[in-house]
């Protein structure tokens, strides 16, 4: 079963488990690639968001990263270049990378599909992750629930190290 093709519910993209992932040190440009969401349903209590903003988004710096601000800024630009909605089914992530930075937009388990505006997603990554986390050597995540490292909520956005594999 696992080897059978997985399809995004919106029909945007289909991927098989045998698809070769792009190699590191290049970049995806504005075309993201689809993967299964490998985040756990819940995490340890210490992984809960450290901060939130007035709009109900939670964000946290989660792990050391070798991603650079310039690579992650390029990823954010790639996402913004989509101009309009970015849709991803629950249980899947759209991924973009430039150099050593991976940006992920994942659908949470609380809706069958996440549908977010590319500019809004890019703004969240820039303001909540690039400056407070990546600039200090940390990867990070933004979500609409406190357990930002899990599949809770309707979406999960992250910037982290990209080493050529997922």
């Amino acid at each position: 079963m696992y080897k059978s093709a997985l399809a995004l519910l919106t029909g945007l993209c289909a991927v098989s488990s045998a698809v070769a992932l792009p190699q590191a040190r290049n970049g995806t440009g504005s075309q993201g690639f689809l993967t299964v969401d490998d985040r756990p349903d819940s995490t340890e209590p210490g992984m809960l968001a450290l901060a939130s903003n007035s709009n109900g988004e939670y964000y946290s710096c989660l792990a050391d990263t070798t991603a650079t601000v310039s690579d992650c800024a390029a990823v954010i630009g790639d996402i913004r270049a989509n101009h309009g909605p970015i849709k991803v089914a629950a249980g899947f992530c759209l991924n973009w990378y430039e150099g050593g930075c991976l940006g992920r937009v994942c659908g949470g388990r609380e809706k069958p599909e996440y549908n977010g505006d590319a500019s809004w997603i890019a703004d969240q990554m820039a303001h909540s992750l690039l400056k407070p986390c990546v600039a200090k050597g940390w990867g990070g995540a933004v979500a609409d629930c406190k357990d930002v490292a899990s599949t809770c909520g309707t979406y999960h956005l992250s910037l982290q190290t990209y080493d050529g594999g997922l």
Side-chain angles (χ1 to χ4, degrees), residues 21-29 71 74-75 78 96-101 162 164:
L21 293 175
Q23 297 300 309
R25 300 294 167 209
N26 305 353
T28 54
D71 284 347
V75 166
D78 292 345
W96 291 262
Y97 74 91
E98 294 291 341
C101 183
Y162 181 64

Side-chain angles (χ1 to χ4, degrees), residues 12-13 22 27-34 78-79 82 94-97:
L12 294 174
C13 188
T28 54
S30 63
Q31 182 68 43
F33 61 95
L34 186 68
D78 292 345
I79 292 169
N82 281 275
L94 282 172
N95 305 270
W96 291 262
Y97 74 91

